[in-house]
Amino acid sequence: MQFDDDARLDTSEVQDVRRSRVPGGRATIGGGLAGVIALLLGLFFGVGPDNLGLTSENDQPSVSSSSASQVRESCLTGEDANTEEDCRTVAVVNSVQDFWGQEFQRRQARYTPAQTVLFTGRVGTACGNATSAVGPFYCPGDRKVFLDLGFFEELRSKFGAGGGPFGQAYVVAHEYGHHVQNLMGTLGRAQDGRTGANSNAVKVELQADCYAGVWTRQATRTPDPQTGRPLITELTDADIRDGLDAAAAVGDDRIQEKFQGRVTPESWTHGSAQQRQQWFYEGFRSGDMGRCNTFR
């Protein structure tokens, strides 16, 4: 994956609070890729909130400090994105939102941008306070994506993904798929409390995978509003394989097999490895969000 060296990055779309601390409080798990791990551990191993990486209302508040400004100061151009992981995240967020803004406009609708919040350790959200252990997630309450960049190493070391920059981009694009669902009114379908291979929870996650694939197809064709050129200049076959590999690594069946030693489809919330790859590839193959109707 390569970015236009001369492109100017829009750091206003990313809030960097990696040196901040937030008080403890009751937490909820959002619709993130790795949130299923916390759910599985809680359901099958009886792990409490502290072990899941979530804060409980009995936690003692921690000291607050000023927010970091690393991204704002160092992530200025596409050249920075080609060399630095946090700057690459900024560039992916910019590209994803450029695409969805233009796609919504083409459909005579209005896209409302969402910030990505980079944090380390613990973060406060409108959905509650959570720690890095829940993985990347989207909170509809404040319309933000929350991401600890350390998750990308865990995606490789704990989940067995091959890694690579585009595997990381897939994670970001998936979370923005949830934002698109929120704007379109479909995200709430996952909140009926049901689980299983055919549940709405799974269908919502698979649709977000499909939307990630749609962006992937269009990324090198989507003009940056400032330059008129695509911010992402190249995606290779190896990049697409990294995306597919990351999608499979967070399939419910693989996670269950790894962490509980057996597969129980009746408790699925995100879909199997095969389903996640299938829907990401459907979005990539078609480049059309209209092909992402996982609810049919």
Side-chain angles (χ1 to χ4, degrees), residues 84-292:
E84 300 295 334
E85 181 182 57
D86 50 1
C87 300
R88 181 168 65 240
T89 300
V90 174
V92 170
V93 169
N94 289 171
S95 175
V96 168
Q97 298 212 97
D98 285 348
F99 167 69
W100 286 117
Q102 293 169 36
E103 179 66 12
F104 270 54
Q105 185 176 38
R106 187 179 72 82
R107 293 173 176 266
Q108 299 183 324
R110 182 174 179 271
Y111 177 78
T112 303
Q115 278 192 326
T116 285
V117 179
L118 301 181
F119 73 98
T120 300
R122 179 185 294 175
V123 69
T125 82
C127 298
N129 295 333
T131 72
S132 303
V134 302
F137 63 96
Y138 172 71
C139 174
D142 49 17
R143 293 186 173 184
K144 293 181 179 180
V145 171
F146 293 86
L147 174 64
D148 186 328
L149 293 177
F151 171 76
F152 295 137
E153 172 57 26
E154 293 186 354
L155 188 63
R156 184 190 65 79
S157 62
K158 293 185 179 179
F159 294 83
F166 194 77
Q168 301 173 10
Y170 154 77
V171 172
V172 174
H174 172 97
E175 297 307 332
Y176 273 91
H178 287 313
H179 179 57
V180 170
Q181 291 171 321
N182 192 32
L183 295 178
M184 297 180 68
T186 56
L187 184 62
R189 294 193 186 191
Q191 305 304 313
D192 60 9
R194 299 179 181 177
T195 62
N198 198 41
S199 66
N200 282 340
V202 167
K203 292 174 182 178
V204 162
E205 294 297 332
L206 296 179
Q207 186 176 63
D209 284 333
C210 188
Y211 286 164
V214 171
W215 163 73
T216 301
R217 169 59 69 184
Q218 303 294 348
T220 57
R221 307 171 185 174
T222 300
D224 182 329
Q226 296 185 63
T227 66
R229 303 186 304 270
L231 178 55
I232 296 179
T233 59
E234 182 184 24
L235 287 175
T236 66
D237 290 343
D239 290 323
I240 306 307
R241 287 194 296 271
D242 284 343
L244 288 165
D245 187 58
V250 289
D252 281 329
D253 53 343
R254 290 202 184 177
I255 292 174
Q256 288 179 336
E257 181 66 34
K258 182 178 181 62
F259 287 93
Q260 68 183 39
R262 67 188 188 283
V263 176
T264 53
E266 64 273 12
S267 65
W268 286 1
T269 57
H270 284 59
S272 69
Q274 187 274 332
Q275 286 176 308
R276 303 202 69 165
Q277 285 188 320
Q278 173 190 338
W279 281 104
F280 172 78
Y281 192 76
E282 175 61 24
F284 173 71
R285 183 193 63 78
S286 66
D288 179 6
M289 68 180 299
R291 300 297 295 271
C292 294

